[in-house]
């Protein structure tokens, strides 16, 4: 069981299931949404995710057709993203999960559009785009 929350604590959730690999996304939308060189997210099964508190405070922004980024309307913390094409999966932001994940990042995605001021110095696989093969079973 995993639990998590936004920065202000008004939105809380739990997830009872496996989490997929941690992906570091360097696309320009993730960089803008997070104000950072990349985002860190894990795929989770939507049916095993539930809000404990504050669901009405969650706002979803459609950042491109069919892709939604969810955040707390009080503090602005990003919580997850989802795409219409894969309705059963949420990409939960790793930083909002309370418990240790017990694993490190598995890959870098969209490295062709990474920030020029950030250098990738690890040996993780790097991809020009995303693959939809890393969802939890």
């Amino acid at each position: 069981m995993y639990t998590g929350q936004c920065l202000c604590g008004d939105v809380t959730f739990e997830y009872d299931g496996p989490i997929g690999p941690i992906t570091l996304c360097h696309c320009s939308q993730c960089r803008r949404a997070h104000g950072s060189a990349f985002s860190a997210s894990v795929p989770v099964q939507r049916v095993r995710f539930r809000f404990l508190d504050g669901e009405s405070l969650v706002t979803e922004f459609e950042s491109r057709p069919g892709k939604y980024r969810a955040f707390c309307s009080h503090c602005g913390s990003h919580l997850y993203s989802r795409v219409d094409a894969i309705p059963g999966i949420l990409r939960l932001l790793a930083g909002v999960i309370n418990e240790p994940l017990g694993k490190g990042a598995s890959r870098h995605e969209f490295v062709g559009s990474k920030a020029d001021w950030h250098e990738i110095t690890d040996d993780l696989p790097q991809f020009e785009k995303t693959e939809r093969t890393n969802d939890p079973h």
Side-chain angles (χ1 to χ4, degrees), residues 110-124:
F110 291 100
V111 297
S113 61
K114 77 172 193 62
D116 66 351
W117 48 265
H118 174 72
E119 182 180 351
I120 298 172
T121 58
D122 58 47
D123 293 328
L124 295 175

Side-chain angles (χ1 to χ4, degrees), residues 57-69:
L57 301 175
V58 176
T59 299
E60 289 190 348
F61 169 70
E62 190 171 11
S63 60
R64 65 175 161 80
K67 175 153 186 180
Y68 302 86
R69 296 172 184 274

Side-chain angles (χ1 to χ4, degrees), residues 38-110:
F38 54 85
S39 69
S41 65
V42 295
V44 299
Q45 298 170 10
R46 191 174 192 165
V47 297
R48 301 179 105 174
F49 175 92
R50 86 178 175 99
F51 288 103
L52 299 175
D53 223 356
E55 183 173 5
S56 65
L57 301 175
V58 176
T59 299
E60 289 190 348
F61 169 70
E62 190 171 11
S63 60
R64 65 175 161 80
K67 175 153 186 180
Y68 302 86
R69 296 172 184 274
F71 60 93
C72 171
S73 62
H74 280 178
C75 67
S77 287
H78 295 266
L79 301 167
Y80 63 84
S81 65
R82 65 179 182 84
V83 292
D84 287 341
I86 310 172
I89 298 294
L90 298 176
R91 292 212 56 93
L92 193 56
L93 278 294
V96 299
I97 300 171
N98 293 328
E99 291 76 23
L101 299 181
K103 57 177 143 184
S106 66
R107 64 195 299 129
H108 295 274
E109 292 182 342
F110 291 100

Side-chain angles (χ1 to χ4, degrees), residues 1-44:
M1 174 75 69
Y2 295 94
T3 62
Q5 66 185 56
C6 63
L7 178 63
C8 69
D10 287 348
V11 176
T12 59
F13 64 84
E14 68 181 11
Y15 176 70
D16 184 17
I19 59 169
I22 300 170
T23 298
L24 306 178
C25 183
H26 297 264
C27 79
S28 60
Q29 285 191 353
C30 282
R31 289 189 289 111
R32 284 187 178 92
H34 301 280
S36 184
F38 54 85
S39 69
S41 65
V42 295
V44 299

